[in-house]
Structure formats: structure tokens, C-alpha cells
Amino acid sequence: MIWNTMMGTSILSIPWGIKQAGFTSGIVLILLMGILTLYCCYRVVKSRKMIPLIDTSNWEFPDVCKYYFGSFGQWSSLLFSMVSLVGAMVVYWVLMSNFLFNTGKFIYNFVHDINVTDIVPGTNGSNKVICPSAASGHPPQSNSVIVSSGNNTGFELFEKWWNKSQTVPFYLIAVLLPLLNLKSPSFFAKFNVLGTVSVVYLVFLVTVKAAHLGIHLEYNWFTENEFFVPEFRILFPQLTGVLTLAFFIHNCVITLLQNNKNQENNVRDLSVAYFLVGLTYLYVGVLIFTSFPSPPLSKECIEQNFLDNFPSDDIMSFVARIFLLFQMMTVYPLLGYLARVQLLRQFFGNAYPSIFHVLILNVAIVGAGVAMARFYPNIGGIIRYSGATCGLAFVFVYPSLIYVISLHRAGQLTWPALIFHIFIILLGLANLIAQFLL
């Protein structure tokens, strides 16, 4: 359950993050961030039991923050929780626009028997890989030319009204905005299994593609060229920002573990879940990076969504986009429900005070998603900014501070423990600052 909940859209950006960090340092960072976030998550799980003489069995982590930090802890935890939820919803909107665009393009070309040749650089053969970032000098939404078609005018009209950033993000409003206004999204919770199916299929896709493409790593310590694979890059904080959200489950882990029949196994189950998540990220990230055909392309071509490196007419990528599109369309209302419950209940004491209140909130959230899909469709950037921001509070600062304060009150605080947890807090602060500097 924890693995299924934690595995999200970040998996699509892990290969890009490894590219930004450097191959070896990228692998090391995934391991270290997994261990660090697991420890902080462990501190969250144990935080309630550090409070004496009070029944905390029904408390969530924001309640613990309120106990230790008063109203500041209550409202700041709400703020950072909203950043994580709305940030995830914005990423979902950008990705759903991407998947819907490519799915519609594939179906239109197939139905009308249109053969399209990408004008972006790419490899040849049945397992074609493209480099969209190298086509920046071309119109961003029409990186293709018609080879044969019975109706070129119809194709041009389709390209006009089926545009990745200018039209498709708005089409999603008609479907998703009404769903956000439902009082209970319990119907969509039944489709949670789609998340597992999507991730399993992505792993299968990556395995098949890597088997066909082979390994492409060129190490040349004396003559660096465009195909050179660096071990370390100064842009590595971009990967740590992505990983903060990729391993983020701290704001709901207590709720998830409450459903565990054997509570004494919580730490074991949490550790196993983090191990599986880290292993999945490593598997996908390393295979995509190492199998990316360089030469003839450069590793710099790896996109923030690695599915964009496969053309829209690729069958396996088409199926992956279909899976992910339906999964996200079922998860999106659930995220909206969580945001609504946390925000409106805090202000009005009711998760559904009126349709008017709910509609205003949902229009604001949807508007943020549409604006990002229209003007800043960079999921890697959105993930790392939102991940580093919410992670500063929920991953690094609050769990460490709460543990230090509880030890101090119990008279058990030692200098090594204090220094270690201050170091964790400084790492979180540095992680956030670095996102705006690099």
C-alpha cells in the first residue's frame, strides 16, 4: 500500500535527474536520499509516542506539530501540506495534457492512415528514440511533417485544435472540474489498482526498450565530447529536489500505517516499502540513462518526462500513456478532495461548507494546472520546486525538531543527536535554496 501510494509521477523524471546529477553521483544520491527520507519518515511515525500522558491514537502529524509549535505549527504544516498536494495536482495536469495530446495524435494518425515523420533528431528503426529538446528552433507543437495523407487540410486543422499547450490543457477542464466538486471521491478510490498496473507496465516498457537499445556509455577521461558521460555534475541538487517529492509520504504515513493489522511491524513495513521504491527508481532511472542511444544522440536529450523521448506513434509508449492518463484522471479528484478537506475544514470547520466555496477552491487549483501546462510545462522543475519546499518542513525540519524537543523534555538529549538532526535541517534548507540557484 505504501509503495503504491509513494510511486507517482516522479518516476518519469528520475532519468532526467540522473542526467542532471551525473551518472555515478545520481545513483549515490538516490540511495542516500532514500535512506535519509526513510529515517525522517520513521521519526514521523514515532512522533506521537514521544508525547506523554496524552492519548494520541487518533492524531495525524499536523496535530503533533500543533502540540509542539502551537498555532504556527498548525498553520505552517497546513501550508506545506497544501504545497505538496497542489504541486502534485499541477504536475498531474501537465502530464495529463501531455498524455492526452499524444494519445489523440496517435489515434488520429492511425484512423486517417497518416504517416508522420518527426523533424526532430532521432534514431532509426522500430525502437526509435527522439530528441525533442534539439528541435527548439522549430515550432514547439508541430515537430512533424506529413509523408502521406489523403487530406492535408484536415491534418492542419487537427494540429491547430489539438495543441499540447494551447488547447488540450483546456479540454481537460470539462471532465475534471465537475469531478472535483463531488462531495465524496470514494468511487475513484476503487481504481487505486491502476497505479500499480501503470508502474508495473512502465518497468516492463523500460526493460523491453533497454533490451533492444543496448547499453550506451562512453567514458573518456581525457577528451570530453557531446557523448561523454560525466560522473558528477554541479546540477545535482535538481535531482535531490525531485527525490524529495519522489520519496515523500510523510504527511500521510501515519494514516496509512493505522490500517496495518500488526502495528508492531510498522517500521519493518515502512523500510521494505522504501527499499522497493528506491529499487524501482534505480531500475528505471539507470536503465533509461544507460540505454539511451548516445551516440548518435546525446544524453542531454533525455527529457523531464522520459516518455517524450519516444515518438507518438510508438505502440508501447502509447499504451503507457493510456494507462497513466486514466490513472491520473482517477487520482486527481482524490488529491483535490484531500486539499479541500485540509483547507476548508481548517477555515470553516466543514470540508464542504457550500458548493460556492468548493467551486472557488477547485477553479483556483485547476487554473494553476492550466497555467503551468500552458506556460511552464516542465514537470522536472515543478516537482523539484514543490518537493524541496514541502520537504523542508515535513521531511527535514519538523521531524528533526520534534525529536530533539522530545528528547530535551525527557532529559535524554545528547550532543551527537543534536548535531545530527541540526545537520539534517541544514541539508533541507540547502536543498531548497539550491533549487533557485541552479
Side-chain angles (χ1 to χ4, degrees), residues 323-340:
F323 272 129
L324 289 167
L325 177 61
F326 280 103
Q327 178 214 349
M328 291 179 183
M329 291 183 72
T330 58
V331 174
Y332 188 85
L334 294 175
L335 294 175
Y337 175 76
L338 292 175
R340 181 209 313 168

Side-chain angles (χ1 to χ4, degrees), residues 19 44 77 185 225 270:
K19 177 196 74 175
V44 171
S77 62
N225 56 54
L270 184 66

Side-chain angles (χ1 to χ4, degrees), residues 62-79:
D63 297 316
V64 178
C65 293
K66 182 180 179 181
Y67 172 83
Y68 281 99
F69 307 114
S71 59
F72 173 79
Q74 177 184 7
W75 290 103
S76 60
S77 62
L78 173 65
L79 172 64

